[in-house]
């Protein structure tokens, strides 16, 4: 009686645990949320904005510079001038001369303009380099998005797999519960032994634990997806378990065009262009620099009258234009060293490009082989499910007729359960292998997933 209460409480647990249909989070919705909210993607977007600002004309050095300055001085003197030994015309001693509040003011302002007419073409090549850097930052952002999407779908399809596994385990639990009730009835009518009831109780317990573990894994994995989507950690939803594979002919076309679309190869090409411009920027140190400069100034000088000088009130303007030519004929060899190092960096980038080309070619061939192998395994597992379903139905009929034992029936049930979960695993493994192949061919963002 005590065991019966335990079984009923487990059954009640799953009855209470049934929730209303959760909102469906489609693959398109998940991608949109990731592109909008994922922190890593947003950081990459901000880095692209920085590179965009750097490549603007405001950072090119082509615009002139204009500086302004102003000065103001104020002074006031209170003084007493003595004339010892000096007399007035009437013979009386000359008294002291007092000057109160003798103010002096000086104001000036200047505008200076400078413009570089020629700097050895360093400015031109640096501007082009910044444009290449912007394109490289876009490719780096694209790589971040691709990696995030692969990670996203790894978690998304894991939720789908666990969801299907949970349904399979629930069905197994329902079958065990039904077998338990049948064993009770058979025992009451003297058609079976107590051992059949105990075996059914053990199987219900094991199936209940399996369902609980599957639910826990499913909840944890959904939290992982919520982190990737940068949304409420406890958001509840269901995912789409439908999987469609891209036709093989289309995949082969993607593989043929991989050199033109693979993000790693495109980044090495941009890096090669940047290094080429670096060489030209450094070579600009060999050439002279020509510049223009101009200034416009205003000065005001006011001073009070003194004993010997009248006051002043000077107000003047000045305008100046000039040109400059500088040529660093020898800088101790610094420019030569920088040019040599830039050429070495360019050679290293060429070597890196060849290495990455070889690695990408290997990775694509491996990914294609893995994908084709997993498709074959998925097809085999699908057929295996059909075989085990037929075997389970026949075993069920034989068990109900009393021709096989509960242990044999349980083994057929376990075989079907394993076949179904293995098919689910094979399906999503094949889809993830396809996604990795799409990423390597540079088509992950161009196809419907």
């Amino acid at each position: 009686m005590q065991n019966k209460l335990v079984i009923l409480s487990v059954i009640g647990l799953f009855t209470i645990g049934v929730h209303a249909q959760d909102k469906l989070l489609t693959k398109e919705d998940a991608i949109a949320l990731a592109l909008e909210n994922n922190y890593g993607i947003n950081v990459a977007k901000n880095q692209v904005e920085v590179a965009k600002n750097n490549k603007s004309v405001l950072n090119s050095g082509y615009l002139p510079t204009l500086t302004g300055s102003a000065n103001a001085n104020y002074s006031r003197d209170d003084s007493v001038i003595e004339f010892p030994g000096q007399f007035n015309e009437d013979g009386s001693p000359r008294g002291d001369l007092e000057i109160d509040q003798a103010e002096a003011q000086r104001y000036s302002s200047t505008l200076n303009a400078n413009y570089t007419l020629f700097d050895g073409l360093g400015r031109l090549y640096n501007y082009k380099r910044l444009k290449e850097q912007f394109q490289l930052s876009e490719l780096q952002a694209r790589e971040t998005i691709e990696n995030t999407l692969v990670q996203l779908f790894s978690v998304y399809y894991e939720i789908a797999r666990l969801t299907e596994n949970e349904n399979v385990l629930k069905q197994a639990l329902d079958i065990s519960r039904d077998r338990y009730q049948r064993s009770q009835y058979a025992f009451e009518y003297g058609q079976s032994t107590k051992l059949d009831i105990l075996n059914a109780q053990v199987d219900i317990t094991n199936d209940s634990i399996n369902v609980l573990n599957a639910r826990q894994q499913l909840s944890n994995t959904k939290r992982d997806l919520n982190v990737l989507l940068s949304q409420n950690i406890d958001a509840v939803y269901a995912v789409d378990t439908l999987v469609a594979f891209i036709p093989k002919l289309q995949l082969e076309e993607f593989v043929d065009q991989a050199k033109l679309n693979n993000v790693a190869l495109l980044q090495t090409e941009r890096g090669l262009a940047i290094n080429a411009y670096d060489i030209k920027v450094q070579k600009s140190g060999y050439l002279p620099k020509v510049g223009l400069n101009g200034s416009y100034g205003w000065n005001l000088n006011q001073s009070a009258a003194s004993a010997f000088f009248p006051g002043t009130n000077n107000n003047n303007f000045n305008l100046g234009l000039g040109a400059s030519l500088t040529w660093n004929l020898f800088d101790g060899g610094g420019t030569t060293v920088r040019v040599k190092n830039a050429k070495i960096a360019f050679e290293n980038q060429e070597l890196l490009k060849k290495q990455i080309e070889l690695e990408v070619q290997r990775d694509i061939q491996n990914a294609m082989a893995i994908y084709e192998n997993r498709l074959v395994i998925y097809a085999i597992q699908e057929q295996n499910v059909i075989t085990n379903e037929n075997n389970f139905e026949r075993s069920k009929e034989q068990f109900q007729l009393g021709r096989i034992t509960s242990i044999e029936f349980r083994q057929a049930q376990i075989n079907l359960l394993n076949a179904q979960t293995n098919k689910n695993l094979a399906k999503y493994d094949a889809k993830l292998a396809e996604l990795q192949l799409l990423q390597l061919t540079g088509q992950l963002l161009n196809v419907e997933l």
Side-chain angles (χ1 to χ4, degrees):
M1 183 65 180
Q2 203 170 20
N3 289 336
K4 185 175 181 180
L5 290 176
V6 172
I7 298 301
L8 290 176
S9 65
V10 173
I11 296 173
L13 171 65
F14 287 103
T15 303
I16 297 173
V18 175
H19 298 285
Q21 185 66 32
D22 295 328
K23 179 182 177 181
L24 178 65
L25 177 68
T26 65
K27 292 184 280 289
E28 292 77 12
D29 292 338
I31 293 174
L33 286 172
L35 293 177
E36 181 180 359
N37 299 329
N38 182 267
Y39 296 122
I41 291 178
N42 284 325
V43 169
K45 289 179 180 179
N46 288 336
Q47 291 172 341
V48 172
E49 286 298 314
V50 171
K52 183 178 179 181
N53 294 334
N54 288 337
K55 80 175 184 68
S56 70
V57 69
L58 298 176
N59 192 46
S60 65
Y62 277 107
L63 299 180
T65 61
L66 183 64
T67 59
S69 62
N71 292 286
N73 291 289
Y74 173 81
S75 64
R76 194 185 77 172
D77 294 330
D78 294 327
S79 60
V80 177
I81 301 175
E82 297 181 355
F83 300 94
Q86 296 186 16
F87 301 91
N88 297 321
E89 294 179 355
D90 58 0
S92 61
R94 187 174 181 179
D96 297 338
L97 175 63
E98 295 185 4
I99 301 176
D100 295 329
Q101 297 183 357
E103 297 180 344
Q105 303 176 42
R106 291 185 296 274
Y107 303 98
S108 66
S109 62
T110 305
L111 288 177
N112 294 303
N114 292 279
Y115 182 68
T116 301
L117 290 176
F118 180 75
D119 68 341
L121 299 178
R123 174 176 54 183
L124 172 64
Y125 293 124
N126 187 62
Y127 186 44
K128 292 182 177 181
R129 181 187 182 279
L130 291 174
K131 288 184 176 181
E132 292 291 343
Q133 188 68 48
F134 170 69
Q135 294 181 16
L136 177 60
S137 67
E138 287 186 317
L139 291 172
Q140 291 169 342
R142 172 185 153 187
E143 183 180 29
T144 299
I145 293 173
E146 288 182 354
N147 291 336
T148 302
L149 289 184
V150 170
Q151 185 181 9
L152 166 69
F153 278 106
S154 297
V155 180
Y156 186 93
Y157 286 133
E158 179 65 8
I159 293 174
R161 185 184 74 85
L162 292 172
T163 299
E164 292 191 306
N165 284 356
E166 183 187 14
N167 293 332
V168 170
L169 293 170
K170 285 180 180 178
Q171 293 174 4
L173 178 60
D174 291 339
I175 292 171
S176 297
R177 287 162 54 189
D178 180 69
R179 196 178 107 225
Y180 171 77
Q181 292 177 349
R182 287 178 177 272
S183 298
Q184 275 192 321
Y185 294 148
F187 177 75
E188 291 175 358
Y189 288 100
Q191 296 177 354
S192 66
T193 63
K194 184 70 173 179
L195 181 62
D196 291 334
I197 297 177
L198 294 175
N199 286 335
Q201 287 179 339
V202 170
D203 293 338
I204 286 179
T205 301
N206 291 332
D207 292 342
S208 301
I209 293 173
N210 290 336
V211 174
L212 286 172
N213 288 334
R215 283 184 174 176
Q216 183 61 56
Q217 289 179 330
L218 185 58
S219 298
N220 292 345
T221 310
K222 285 185 177 181
R223 294 188 188 97
D224 292 338
L225 185 58
N226 288 333
V227 170
L228 284 173
L229 300 180
S230 300
Q231 63 177 1
N232 183 359
I233 201 73
D234 294 319
V236 179
Y237 47 82
V239 299
D240 187 4
T241 58
L242 180 64
V243 169
F245 295 98
I246 296 175
K248 184 177 180 180
L249 184 61
Q250 188 176 2
L251 279 177
E252 291 175 349
E253 292 178 358
F254 292 160
V255 171
D256 293 337
Q257 300 171 2
K259 286 187 176 181
L260 301 176
N261 299 309
N262 179 271
V263 69
L265 291 177
L266 293 176
Q267 287 185 48
T268 59
E269 291 177 0
R270 297 280 70 76
L272 205 59
I274 290 172
N275 289 127
Y277 285 128
D278 281 338
I279 296 174
K280 295 179 179 180
V281 169
Q282 299 304 331
K283 284 184 176 180
S284 68
Y286 291 127
L287 299 177
K289 296 177 175 58
V290 180
L292 289 177
N293 58 78
S295 64
Y296 176 79
W298 166 76
N299 293 277
L300 175 63
N301 190 353
Q302 294 178 335
S303 62
S306 66
F308 306 102
F309 300 99
T312 61
N313 188 3
N314 298 328
N315 189 10
N316 58 72
F317 301 88
N318 57 74
L319 176 66
L321 293 174
S324 64
L325 171 65
T326 60
W327 195 340
N328 195 349
L329 298 177
F330 182 69
D331 64 351
T335 299
T336 301
V337 171
R338 288 190 291 270
V339 170
K340 288 181 178 179
N341 289 340
K343 288 181 178 179
I344 294 173
F346 181 82
E347 293 175 2
N348 287 340
Q349 189 67 27
E350 286 184 318
L351 295 173
L352 179 62
K353 180 181 178 182
K354 292 179 180 179
Q355 178 185 356
I356 292 180
E357 284 178 346
L358 192 61
E359 291 176 350
V360 168
Q361 184 179 1
R362 175 206 62 191
D363 293 342
I364 289 177
Q365 291 184 6
N366 289 345
M368 191 68 171
I370 292 172
Y371 174 62
E372 291 175 345
N373 183 62
R374 289 183 178 178
L375 279 181
V376 172
I377 293 175
Y378 176 47
I380 293 173
Q381 293 292 357
E382 281 187 313
Q383 184 59 46
N384 189 38
V385 168
I386 295 174
T387 301
N388 277 277
E389 285 176 344
N390 293 334
N391 178 63
F392 176 75
E393 292 299 325
R394 290 177 63 85
S395 298
K396 184 178 181 180
E397 294 174 0
Q398 296 295 315
F399 176 70
Q400 291 175 350
L401 294 174
R403 296 177 180 177
I404 63 173
T405 64
S406 61
I407 297 176
E408 293 173 313
F409 174 75
R410 177 64 175 177
Q411 186 60 50
Q413 181 187 10
I414 292 175
N415 290 340
L416 176 59
L417 177 65
N418 291 336
Q420 290 172 326
T421 55
N422 288 336
K423 185 201 76 171
N424 294 337
L425 178 62
K427 177 172 71 171
Y428 295 111
D429 278 350
K431 187 60 181 178
L432 289 175
E434 181 188 81
L435 292 179
Q436 292 169 351
L437 181 59
L438 289 173
Q439 183 183 17
L440 287 169
T441 58
Q443 299 293 339
L444 183 63
L445 304 179
N446 301 329
V447 298
E448 185 177 353
L449 302 176

